[in-house]
Amino acid sequence: QFQGQDVDYYISSNTAAQVWRIFVDAEPMKGWQHDCYVLTIPKQTTAPINLVIAEKESRKMPPLGDFEPLLVRNRYGNSANSKPKVSMNTLSNADSEAAQRTYAIILSGGYDRTSNHERYWNDCSFIYQTLVNRYGVPKDQVYPIMSDGNNPGLDMILTTGTLRSQPLDLDNDGIDEIKLAATKANVRATINAIASKIKKDDHLLIYVIDHGGTNDGKSNSFIWLWNGGQLYDYELAQMIDPICSKYVNVNVVLGQCYSGGFIDDLTKVGCVVSAASRGSEPSWACLDIPYDEFVYHWTSAVNGATHNQSPVNADADGNGRVTMLEAFCYARDHDRATKEHPIYVSTPISVGEDLAFNHLAPSVDLYIQDNFEDTGKE
């Protein structure tokens, strides 16, 4: 039924069942949600094999349950194990001050073990190392919230098509950083903990990768969490309200499918939002390395180098810092997934023009735009 198509197959491990259940991912380089199928095939039949018709159920998300890889293609060849490496950086006093006032949440929902691709872990490791090694952000101010947390069970599928438990050490220093599972309760508790200590003009990064969905193909979007949980755009907006009310620079980077649907809810004073795709579009993986297109280039921009330390220059004005606007423009211009269209909003415009991981943008107390080109910098 899928001859000539680039698909992956998974099989139910329930050997006691009277049928085989085969899950078919028909678009494995897309993030979810997208077209997929469950085939049900009888184990015993008197009919000739060429007359056996599989029952075919169309879906938009994988079935939760006991599926394991059957035929999963390694699409990256020798690049399948391309892990990020970010070297330690020597910080100036100003850089150190900005780092001490920076907090970050790294959220990768996972959905389930056959949908939690290794490339999402790579994306999270890349931004984690960039924050800690490149910019000196204290480790206790970076909160990874990923799939099933530190549960030792199988929760991630490798590029080679096998299941494993996700590594808990994001920067290869021998210390486990991943503790929290990607549940709505953990996201809310983490945001509340940050809100209790973050101060005016500080910087909060909320970095999201993995899967997303939409109810209307426009502006009603959500993030898939572990085990099929959902975090809607309006829920995230409500969670960060206490932080926004403290005049904090809130920087949201969204790499999941239909991420642009979050823009309307996150258009708040002090917020800058970069999304991989419109609210009507899925997002895509890189075709040559196990990362995701938009967030890979965005992280490369702020890091000043790719995952393998090839230099990158996104500092368009040459002032020694890569602002959130510059990072977005670099990622948008280098995004090779022609079917996704990154979008951006900054409220006011000056937040994204000023904010960088080594430069904190002053909060805006009063902003009156007197012409369309007025950014508020005056």
Side-chain angles (χ1 to χ4, degrees):
Q1 294 193 46
F2 301 96
Q3 187 173 1
Q5 298 181 45
D6 183 21
V7 303
D8 285 337
Y9 300 91
Y10 303 81
I11 189 168
S12 172
S13 59
N14 181 6
T15 56
Q18 298 300 306
V19 295
W20 284 295
R21 295 185 71 226
I22 309 292
F23 161 54
V24 184
D25 183 352
E27 298 176 291
M29 300 307 283
K30 268 188 185 180
W32 293 101
Q33 56 195 41
H34 63 251
D35 290 341
C36 62
Y37 307 91
V38 173
L39 306 182
T40 302
I41 306 168
K43 287 185 176 179
Q44 294 184 352
T45 178
T46 58
I49 189 66
N50 62 321
L51 297 181
V52 175
I53 304 299
E55 179 184 332
K56 185 177 181 181
E57 174 196 355
S58 297
R59 299 176 59 95
K60 287 296 183 182
M61 289 298 296
L64 293 169
D66 54 359
F67 286 84
E68 57 188 34
L70 177 62
L71 293 171
V72 176
R73 177 183 166 199
N74 173 13
R75 294 169 177 81
Y76 296 109
N78 294 332
S79 298
N81 196 36
S82 297
K83 299 302 179 188
K85 176 63 177 176
V86 178
S87 300
M88 297 293 291
N89 187 32
T90 302
L91 304 178
S92 66
N93 290 336
D95 292 346
S96 297
E97 180 184 359
Q100 294 296 322
R101 296 176 61 185
T102 298
Y103 298 80
I105 293 171
I106 299 173
L107 177 60
S108 180
Y111 185 74
D112 71 358
R113 66 184 191 173
T114 57
S115 302
N116 185 30
H117 293 283
E118 185 177 8
R119 69 178 185 261
Y120 301 129
W121 190 94
N122 293 343
D123 294 326
C124 294
S125 175
F126 193 11
I127 186 60
Y128 183 89
Q129 292 187 49
T130 297
L131 292 170
V132 172
N133 295 347
R134 169 69 177 81
Y135 289 102
V137 178
K139 282 195 165 197
D140 61 0
Q141 293 176 196
V142 182
Y143 301 83
I145 306 176
M146 296 172 58
S147 62
D148 70 352
N150 57 8
N151 187 312
L154 301 177
D155 67 342
M156 183 174 77
I157 185 163
L158 302 180
T159 56
T160 52
T162 57
L163 293 171
R164 68 159 296 176
S165 181
Q166 69 176 350
L168 304 180
D169 182 1
L170 288 168
D171 60 353
N172 302 305
D173 66 348
I175 300 173
D176 292 345
E177 288 85 25
I178 301 174
K179 298 180 175 64
L180 297 176
T183 66
K184 191 182 299 185
N186 281 341
V187 174
R188 181 180 289 109
T190 301
I191 291 176
N192 289 342
I194 293 173
S196 69
K197 52 191 172 184
I198 201 166
K199 295 180 173 60
K200 183 177 184 287
D201 294 345
D202 287 353
H203 181 182
L204 170 62
L205 169 68
I206 300 176
Y207 174 100
V208 180
I209 189 54
D210 206 0
H211 304 301
T214 178
N215 286 351
D216 64 355
K218 186 178 179 182
S219 60
N220 190 2
S221 298
F222 57 85
I223 299 162
W224 284 107
L225 301 176
W226 184 245
N227 204 26
Q230 296 173 336
L231 176 63
Y232 274 87
D233 44 11
Y234 68 88
E235 293 177 306
L236 180 60
Q238 291 169 355
M239 288 179 186
I240 66 172
D241 273 342
I243 293 177
C244 293
S245 67
K246 299 176 78 169
Y247 298 98
V248 172
N249 296 299
V250 180
N251 176 19
V252 186
V253 178
L254 303 167
Q256 78 278 11
C257 291
Y258 311 104
S259 50
F262 279 70
I263 290 284
D264 59 331
D265 291 275
L266 297 179
T267 302
K268 299 171 176 284
V269 173
C271 285
V272 53
V273 186
S274 300
S277 59
R278 297 169 181 161
S280 58
E281 297 173 334
S283 59
W284 294 79
C286 298
L287 296 178
D288 52 348
I289 51 175
Y291 296 81
D292 287 88
E293 271 292 333
F294 177 78
V295 293
Y296 175 77
H297 295 295
W298 188 92
T299 305
S300 296
V302 296
N303 181 44
T306 64
H307 73 289
N308 58 7
Q309 300 183 314
S310 296
V312 160
N313 183 17
D315 182 10
D317 58 9
N319 66 352
R321 57 180 181 258
V322 177
T323 66
M324 297 306 98
L325 175 59
E326 288 172 329
F328 171 79
C329 291
Y330 180 90
R332 177 199 62 199
D333 294 345
H334 288 78
D335 192 320
R336 299 165 295 179
T338 56
K339 294 181 180 179
E340 68 181 22
H341 299 85
I343 56 177
Y344 167 93
V345 67
S346 175
T347 312
I349 298 171
S350 58
V351 178
E353 290 180 333
D354 286 343
L355 181 63
F357 288 107
N358 57 353
H359 180 262
L360 299 177
S363 61
V364 176
D365 297 305
L366 177 64
Y367 168 49
I368 301 173
Q369 187 180 35
D370 56 16
N371 63 72
F372 289 116
E373 287 76 34
D374 180 5
T375 67
K377 279 188 168 185
E378 295 86 352

